[in-house]
Amino acid sequence: QVQVVESGGGLVQAGGSLKLSCTASENIFMFNAMGWFRQAPGKERELVATINVGGKINYADSVKGRFTISRDGARKMVYLQMNSLKPEDTAVYYCNARVLQHNTWGQGTQVTVTQ
């Protein structure tokens, strides 16, 4: 069974940086896409950034220019570098791995950005 595990969340001041990591149990190139989603209290889960098997990257407009998604196939990892963090980035961040219509989610990692 495919598993993904996030790490790297924490508490940071506005303007600071964090790097999230997602470790997959399988070769990441077996997935059609991997990515990061987030869910703030009282809000729907939303896309942050995705990277597909061919390397095409997609970002939410709210994080463009501040967040960078990357991957390391040898380590079976996907990363999310988050710079210039804002309080509105506060959320639980989830790693996602998708094969066709099947999604695998991690347990989530909390990111809290203070003023």
Side-chain angles (χ1 to χ4, degrees):
Q1 184 173 351
V2 175
Q3 292 183 321
V4 292
V5 179
E6 307 95 338
S7 62
L11 179 68
V12 65
Q13 287 188 326
S17 297
L18 281 175
K19 185 174 184 177
L20 305 183
S21 300
C22 173
T23 304
S25 60
E26 308 291 336
N27 177 357
I28 64 173
F29 295 106
M30 71 170 279
F31 304 118
N32 295 122
M34 292 189 71
W36 292 92
F37 291 69
R38 67 187 181 187
Q39 188 166 18
K43 295 189 176 181
E44 297 284 324
R45 189 173 297 189
E46 64 176 4
L47 179 149
V48 177
T50 60
I51 181 167
N52 75 8
V53 64
K56 181 178 179 180
I57 291 173
N58 182 43
Y59 292 104
D61 287 344
S62 59
V63 307
K64 283 180 181 176
R66 300 188 298 123
F67 291 10
T68 302
I69 189 170
S70 62
R71 64 188 177 187
D72 184 335
R75 295 178 181 234
K76 303 180 186 177
M77 296 186 74
V78 175
Y79 305 98
L80 186 69
Q81 177 67 47
M82 305 185 293
N83 298 328
S84 302
L85 282 160
K86 304 175 181 180
E88 51 264 44
D89 294 317
T90 294
V92 177
Y93 283 69
Y94 296 92
C95 180
N96 170 271
R98 181 174 61 80
V99 178
L100 298 179
Q101 301 307 314
H102 180 73
N103 287 285
T104 298
W105 296 94
Q107 80 287 353
T109 185
Q110 177 71 46
V111 172
T112 302
V113 185
T114 61
Q115 293 281 8

